[in-house]
Amino acid sequence: MEKVKKANKESQSPLDFLKNLLIARWRSLLLLLIGVYLPLQVFEILTVKIWQNQAGFQWDVPILLAVHSTENPQLDVLAVTLAIIGLPWTAIPILGAIALILLLQKRWRSLAYLLTTSLGSVIINRIAKELMHRVRPQLWQSIAPESSFAFPSAHAMTSVTLVAILLFLTWASSWRWLVLVLGSLYIIAIAWCRLYLGVHFPSDILAGWMVTLGWTIGVSLIIKPYRTIAKFVDGEHPKDETTLLPEERTKD
């Protein structure tokens, strides 16, 4: 029987193997296309356009002015509060606490994902800012001015990174829907406050979202912080492909 199986594997044509591979991995490939390639492509388009013209896009200023037209004292307080909450430095204690929990639980794969995505996000942001040197909007006097470069938005990248980490860590539970809904509202709120305060162009926000989305999803496809079942194209029995150590295994 073993010889028959081995003969069948060896006689499988490259076309059949590719077909079986696509069938078994179509979800990962689709996620790679939609979650990694397309966001990074949008980021590239934004980067090239702004590199050629620091003024950015025609829709940048009208959107900023539209958001600024809603200015009032109550929103001023809300925007400044959200700006403080959304600071990269504010995310450090949160990520540190999560990392400590993962360390104590010996969930090495999840810990590796958290460290890789968070540190990578910071590095990408700093490099992009230094390369692009895009100045911040000067349309009005901001109540919370910033002096660093604008592109891409660190607040936008931090919010997406934090939500992505929480989402992937809760992916195997029903909590993922709550994280997805509240996380989406949090990301939008942080983006709004940056526009309301006049310290970012909308394209800065969009670029931050896109590059972080591509980065966090791309890393997840490699490290796989969530638990999944591997499907093999050669007919072998599936096995847990996300476990680094026996301590990470969970019973079905």
Side-chain angles (χ1 to χ4, degrees), residues 2-241:
E2 292 296 331
K3 292 182 178 180
V4 173
K5 288 183 179 180
K6 185 176 181 180
N8 289 336
K9 292 179 184 179
E10 292 177 350
S11 63
Q12 189 180 45
S13 68
L15 187 60
D16 289 335
F17 176 80
L18 180 61
K19 176 183 175 182
N20 292 333
L21 180 65
L22 292 176
I23 292 175
R25 300 297 183 186
W26 70 270
R27 290 184 180 86
S28 296
L29 292 172
L30 184 63
L31 185 60
L32 183 65
L33 173 64
I34 299 177
V36 179
Y37 173 75
L38 291 181
L40 293 181
Q41 186 67 26
V42 173
F43 177 72
E44 179 188 3
I45 294 172
L46 293 170
T47 302
V48 171
K49 177 66 176 180
I50 294 171
W51 182 268
Q52 296 172 344
N53 180 16
Q54 285 288 316
F57 299 85
Q58 294 181 350
W59 39 268
D60 269 332
V61 173
I63 292 176
L64 268 178
L65 293 176
V67 175
H68 181 62
S69 66
T70 63
E71 182 182 22
N72 64 63
Q74 290 75 27
L75 290 181
D76 287 352
V77 175
L78 177 60
V80 172
T81 303
L82 286 173
I84 296 173
I85 294 174
L87 281 170
W89 293 109
T90 306
I92 292 178
I94 299 174
L95 294 175
I98 298 174
L100 180 60
I101 294 173
L102 296 176
L103 180 63
L104 294 175
Q105 294 179 347
K106 298 182 179 180
R107 295 175 58 185
W108 309 120
R109 188 177 294 273
S110 299
L111 179 60
Y113 177 75
L114 183 151
L115 295 176
T116 303
T117 51
S118 56
L119 292 177
S121 181
V122 173
I123 294 173
I124 292 171
N125 182 263
R126 297 309 308 167
I127 292 176
K129 282 182 180 292
E130 293 301 323
L131 289 177
M132 297 301 294
H133 280 203
R134 191 186 195 187
V135 297
R136 304 220 178 224
Q138 303 293 328
L139 300 178
W140 65 85
Q141 183 63 40
S142 176
I143 58 176
E146 299 278 0
S147 59
S148 61
F149 295 117
F151 185 93
S153 167
H155 276 71
M157 292 186 65
T158 300
S159 63
V160 174
T161 301
L162 180 59
V163 172
I165 290 172
L166 293 175
L167 185 60
F168 281 119
L169 292 182
T170 58
W171 191 254
S173 69
S174 59
W175 285 98
R176 68 179 181 272
W177 300 112
L178 181 62
V179 173
L180 180 62
V181 173
L182 295 182
S184 299
L185 294 176
Y186 171 70
I187 291 172
I188 294 173
I190 295 300
W192 167 83
C193 85
R194 306 312 284 161
L195 299 177
Y196 181 88
L197 295 172
V199 293
H200 274 297
F201 292 104
S203 53
D204 298 332
I205 304 294
L206 182 59
W209 284 350
M210 292 298 101
V211 70
T212 311
L213 191 63
W215 169 249
T216 54
I217 293 178
V219 174
S220 75
L221 291 174
I222 298 173
I223 296 181
K224 295 182 176 65
Y226 44 85
R227 182 178 184 273
T228 186
I229 299 298
K231 295 181 180 179
F232 290 84
V233 298
D234 55 8
E236 294 181 6
H237 293 293
K239 64 180 181 180
D240 188 346
E241 66 174 1

